[in-house]
Amino acid sequence: MRLAGTIFTNVTKMLDFYSQFNPSPLSIKQFIDFGLNACERKSYLFLRKELPVRLANIMKEIALLPENLLRMPSVGLVNQWYERSFEEIIQFEKMEPEPTVLTQFCQRLVHIRNRHADVVQTMAQGVLELKESHEVDTGTENSIQYFLDRFYMSRISIRMLINQHTLLFGEQLGAKQASLNGIGNGGRHIGSIDPACDIAAVVRDAYENARFLCDRYYLASPELELLQNGVPSGRPMPVVYVPSHLYHMLFELFKNAMRAVMESHEGSPPPIQVNLVLGREDVSVKMSDRGGGIPRSVTDLLFKYMYSTAPQPSKSDSHTVPLAGYGYGLPISRLYARYFHGDLVLMSCEGYGTDAVIYLKALSNEANELLPIFNRTSSKFYRPVPQIADWSGSLNTATISQCKNKDKNKDNMSPSVSHTL
Ligand code: P4A
């Protein structure tokens, strides 16, 4: 207790210090080169600076949140986790990379990853607490959307770094060997990256698991029609990617598509079509359903955290509403796509069905991390100024505020590779 004041000022100082640095985005190619060539010492020296930088950058933004959101118990809890983890990492600042330190560092990373396991759910709870206790205006809603995109993106990136280090170097017993061998995956994984990730296989896997839930709830399910360049093909389509990220996106999209199809058809449900296309710049995965679609005004709302926030079905209900689409499935799936400079877009034709497209970068050296950077420009989004319309019609329509969010999502993120077109 006696030291509390000292620790407080010290950590505050360290936060100020580390938040001055911009995060260093890595490309998938760099992750792979690093995984193949770098030693644990080098990884340690990089992470003991990069992790505090990424933590500090996002913690500075947490501090800028609307005050009534910051006061919500769940948000306070998340904030505490970040403070604790930041403190735990900067303890390594001056520790030489000796074997005992390296082991301790690995264990610390695992501990931190576990501590942050429920961040998404807890933050959603915080937003729910705010909605239930306060009237939320459009300005606040936009700030929260802006923040959560950056906050969850930061989390994805920090977990990626931790996963790579612990998979490559953790748990003594030849962890590097095990992760490089990628048990059951043809021995090619580099941490969480598969240099020959078969998109077709991940599509089938996500489909089967979503179908299992669909069958249980609706007692039927739509078939999958898997195409490559528009024609049926049994051949694999390999890309350099993180299979778990791709799976996450596809599973979410399959659940949505199945729900829409089953809710709009009494008899035999029309199949869900997935078309895989490999271009020079993009890999595109297009999922088309005939589930009746949604109006354009709703498409945008599906990516909004405030709109998607609903009380979680209780654990005992969860088996009866497997495709309910609670939570942040779509907005977070889109962040996974954008994390390596891809995207996820929905195009719906109300009255017919929905197309969802996942875009990935075809080249691993162009697949750079997209990271939020804390600076003066980013902080201005937390003090929304009253908006004056410069187009006729209400400013509060979903369409217009989504347009603004689209621009915002692109601002203050780490720069992308510039293309000469
Ligand atoms: N039609 N189309 C979709 C939905 C409806 C749809 C839908 C009613 C809406 C909300 C939801 C799940 C499905 C689709 C594919 C998508 C997204 C929406 O990727 O067919 O849960 C949130």
Side-chain angles (χ1 to χ4, degrees):
M1 273 326 278
R2 184 156 53 85
L3 286 173
T6 330
I7 289 170
F8 173 77
T9 50
N10 204 15
V11 170
T12 310
K13 263 194 211 137
M14 298 306 265
L15 253 181
D16 286 339
F17 175 72
Y18 278 103
S19 66
Q20 293 169 36
F21 298 94
N22 284 349
S24 309
L26 300 175
S27 66
I28 293 187
K29 184 170 188 311
Q30 284 172 310
F31 274 115
I32 288 182
D33 293 344
F34 203 84
L36 292 176
N37 304 317
C39 57
E40 185 171 0
R41 287 177 67 251
K42 204 173 154 200
S43 182
Y44 164 79
L45 295 174
F46 172 71
L47 289 184
R48 75 169 181 188
K49 160 107 189 278
E50 184 63 16
L51 286 171
V53 167
R54 294 193 187 192
L55 287 168
N57 268 265
I58 204 63
M59 288 165 78
K60 282 283 183 181
E61 293 203 30
I62 296 178
L64 293 173
L65 280 173
E67 216 174 291
N68 45 18
L69 180 58
L70 267 181
R71 276 200 307 266
M72 295 301 128
S74 300
V75 179
L77 188 58
V78 169
N79 203 13
Q80 274 176 26
W81 292 338
Y82 273 77
E83 280 167 5
R84 205 158 301 158
S85 299
F86 179 77
E87 281 180 60
E88 286 179 8
I89 289 279
I90 57 174
Q91 281 166 13
F92 289 90
E93 215 179 19
K94 293 191 174 66
M95 288 203 210
E96 292 303 319
E98 298 154 6
T100 51
V101 173
L102 294 179
T103 308
Q104 209 192 333
F105 186 69
C106 248
Q107 288 167 345
R108 188 66 59 84
L109 292 187
V110 172
H111 185 70
I112 289 172
R113 185 172 59 204
N114 293 339
R115 171 183 294 136
H116 291 249
D118 288 334
V119 160
V120 175
Q121 213 187 301
T122 310
M123 210 60 190
Q125 181 62 33
V127 171
L128 200 60
E129 288 163 5
L130 178 73
K131 275 205 329 195
E132 281 168 355
S133 61
H134 294 76
E135 193 73 45
V136 180
D137 59 41
T138 319
T140 306
E141 196 183 313
N142 287 342
S143 298
I144 291 173
Q145 180 76 20
Y146 176 83
F147 168 76
L148 288 178
D149 271 333
R150 297 166 68 81
F151 177 70
Y152 292 136
M153 189 66 104
S154 162
R155 181 173 181 272
I156 288 171
S157 83
I158 289 167
R159 293 180 89 76
M160 179 77 193
L161 294 181
I162 292 180
N163 288 343
Q164 287 309 97
H165 187 84
T166 56
L167 282 169
L168 288 168
F169 307 113
E171 288 122 38
Q172 290 89 30
L173 299 163
K176 175 154 187 166
Q177 222 43 49
S179 73
L180 284 173
N181 287 339
I183 300 146
N185 291 300
R188 45 171 202 250
H189 279 64
I190 295 132
S192 61
I193 299 170
D194 185 349
C197 171
D198 178 9
I199 303 185
V202 181
V203 168
R204 280 190 291 266
D205 189 25
Y207 167 77
E208 289 301 336
N209 290 335
R211 172 187 218 181
F212 174 79
L213 298 179
C214 185
D215 280 331
R216 219 167 42 159
Y217 186 63
Y218 294 105
L219 309 175
S221 53
E223 293 295 318
L224 170 66
E225 247 176 57
L226 187 51
L227 310 175
Q228 284 183 33
N229 287 300
V231 295
S233 162
R235 274 190 291 159
M237 183 181 280
V239 294
V240 188
Y241 205 66
V242 183
S244 61
H245 292 185
L246 183 59
Y247 175 87
H248 186 105
M249 299 180 254
L250 286 165
F251 183 56
E252 189 59 36
L253 293 179
F254 272 124
K255 283 191 294 181
N256 289 346
M258 286 179 187
R259 173 177 161 189
V261 167
M262 297 316 292
E263 299 276 336
S264 64
H265 287 79
E266 297 281 298
S268 64
I272 296 170
Q273 203 180 64
V274 175
N275 190 18
L276 312 178
V277 188
L278 178 58
R280 272 211 295 218
E281 192 178 316
D282 301 318
V283 176
S284 309
V285 180
K286 181 158 111 176
M287 186 184 297
S288 309
D289 69 61
R290 280 176 263 161
I294 41 176
R296 219 153 44 93
S297 57
V298 174
T299 317
D300 297 333
L301 292 177
L302 291 179
F303 289 97
K304 299 214 151 170
Y305 299 101
M306 292 294 285
Y307 177 83
S308 319
T309 306
Q312 284 285 317
S314 72
K315 279 266 151 51
S316 61
D317 285 350
S318 62
H319 67 285
T320 58
V321 282
L323 299 174
Y326 281 103
Y328 292 168
L330 274 175
I332 288 192
S333 293
R334 186 169 67 178
L335 291 179
Y336 274 113
R338 288 181 175 176
Y339 173 48
F340 282 122
H341 279 88
D343 208 350
L344 188 161
V345 298
L346 286 189
M347 236 183 298
S348 200
C349 296
E350 188 191 13
Y352 179 74
T354 302
D355 285 358
V357 187
I358 297 169
Y359 296 104
L360 309 178
K361 284 287 181 195
L363 304 171
S364 62
N365 61 318
E366 288 190 357
N368 283 300
E369 287 184 293
L370 177 67
L371 304 172
I373 299 168
F374 172 73
N375 58 30
R376 260 168 305 167
T377 355
S378 57
S379 57
K380 77 167 185 266
F381 289 109
Y382 295 98
R383 290 179 266 101
V385 287
Q387 299 285 322
I388 298 163
D390 51 4
W391 289 97
S392 60
S394 158
L395 246 188
N396 289 349
T397 62
T399 319
I400 293 177
S401 59
Q402 178 64 16
C403 285
K404 285 190 302 208
N405 280 326
K406 264 185 196 149
D407 295 339
K408 282 187 202 169
N409 289 339
K410 298 246 149 44
D411 283 346
N412 308 312
M413 292 280 193
S414 53
S416 61
V417 202
S418 58
H419 294 285
T420 38
L421 289 176

